[in-house]
Amino acid sequence: MMMTEEPPGRVAVVTGGAAGLGRATVERLLEDGFRVVVADLDRDSGESLAKECGPDVRFRHTDVAVAEQVRSLVGFTVAEFGGLRLMVNNAGVSGSMRMSILDEDFADFQRVFAVNLLGVMTGTREAARHMAENGGGAIVNISSVGGVQAGPGVLSYRASKAAVIHFTKCAALDLAEYGIRVNCLAPGGIPTRLLASATADDEMAKRIRAHMAATQPLPRVGTPQDVAEAVAYLGGDRSLHLTGTVLTIDGGATAGQKPLRPARVP
């Protein structure tokens, strides 16, 4: 049955919402009048953010790799705020960086896929089960340019993010008849603590960031707020005819490296 009614209320869930891209998204959605449930494993940061943001934010300690906790998260949100209109599946982990597949032991595979892929799949399913019975809504899944463009290192991470993109498109087709839009963001080159968690030391992370900045076409460092703006767009009323899309937020890096030209003479 085609669902055409406007979803009730402006209520969102942001997984991995206590820091980085997630925190910026929470703050941006509040500007648009959303009430938000922050889901995260970091209890201290999550509770602190909820306290800082006031009565329109709640915190729910959640491991998205555990299906029952994701189901409980959606139930908690509906009980607290009366509905769910926007689900942002942002929680993610990296893995240990290996510069060659010959050195890879895939010890991080199970956890990376449990959080990055299964967590997104479960979050999408649980949100959609509510939305399908309550006027539809929007789901935004966070992938990565690592899932769009091939490269060495963190192979489990790259594979999981590529799978998120394909899953998003499949879910978009499956859920469109219920008025549920499912879209995907693929950020890249944006400073968060995720890259540092994958590298052996801070110096390596700095070198990788410097390389990304030097090769992307736009001479600007991306910010978590850039991603948050895109979430607000895809989760709001300005994108009602968009579903199954993948938006890269990477300064043009996946379009190609910037051309080599002689320095401009003033």
Side-chain angles (χ1 to χ4, degrees):
M1 177 179 177
M2 188 71 169
M3 306 295 290
T4 58
E5 300 90 352
E6 185 70 10
R10 294 175 73 79
V11 178
V13 168
V14 180
T15 68
L21 304 183
R23 180 183 178 118
T25 297
V26 171
E27 294 170 345
R28 180 63 183 84
L29 292 176
L30 287 172
E31 294 177 10
D32 279 355
F34 277 88
R35 291 171 291 169
V36 184
V37 173
V38 176
D40 209 292
L41 279 175
D42 187 340
R43 189 184 299 274
D44 290 342
S45 294
E47 290 179 345
S48 176
L49 178 60
K51 183 177 180 180
E52 177 183 330
C53 290
D56 287 336
V57 175
R58 302 283 190 276
F59 171 69
R60 183 73 169 183
H61 185 265
T62 306
D63 183 347
V64 299
V66 180
E68 183 53 44
Q69 291 190 29
V70 179
R71 186 176 302 115
S72 178
L73 168 64
V74 171
F76 171 82
T77 301
V78 173
E80 287 291 306
F81 290 138
L84 175 60
R85 180 176 179 180
L86 170 60
M87 183 75 176
V88 184
N89 291 306
N90 166 73
V93 295
S94 186
S96 298
M97 181 170 286
R98 304 283 189 267
M99 297 315 295
S100 169
I101 192 172
L102 301 179
D103 303 319
E104 182 64 74
D105 59 9
F106 298 114
D108 55 17
F109 178 88
Q110 296 293 342
R111 181 61 181 170
V112 169
F113 267 75
V115 174
N116 293 3
L117 179 57
L118 183 60
V120 168
M121 295 174 74
T122 306
T124 298
R125 182 191 67 190
E126 294 303 320
R129 284 175 171 172
H130 172 81
M131 292 174 182
E133 299 295 329
N134 293 277
I139 298 169
V140 180
N141 297 327
I142 308 300
S143 179
S144 165
V145 294
V148 176
Q149 192 172 57
V154 287
L155 298 179
S156 295
Y157 175 81
R158 290 180 182 275
S160 70
K161 291 300 189 178
V164 166
I165 291 172
H166 195 67
F167 167 76
T168 296
K169 294 179 180 181
C170 294
L173 297 177
D174 198 9
L175 296 172
E177 66 179 294
Y178 301 101
I180 301 171
R181 296 176 292 112
V182 191
N183 291 292
C184 188
L185 296 177
I190 297 173
T192 67
R193 64 188 184 189
L194 192 64
L195 176 59
S197 71
T199 56
D201 53 56
D202 291 341
E203 188 58 35
M204 180 181 289
K206 290 178 181 177
R207 291 199 301 270
I208 293 172
R209 292 203 188 285
H211 173 74
M212 291 189 292
T215 56
Q216 76 176 31
L218 280 179
R220 174 185 178 277
V221 177
T223 69
Q225 288 71 31
D226 292 325
V227 178
E229 286 291 343
V231 173
Y233 172 68
L234 291 175
D237 297 336
R238 295 167 295 169
S239 59
L240 294 179
H241 203 55
L242 285 180
T243 195
T245 64
V246 181
L247 175 61
T248 55
I249 309 173
D250 64 353
T254 51
Q257 293 187 5
K258 64 183 179 183
L260 295 176
R261 295 189 178 118
R264 291 181 180 271
V265 178

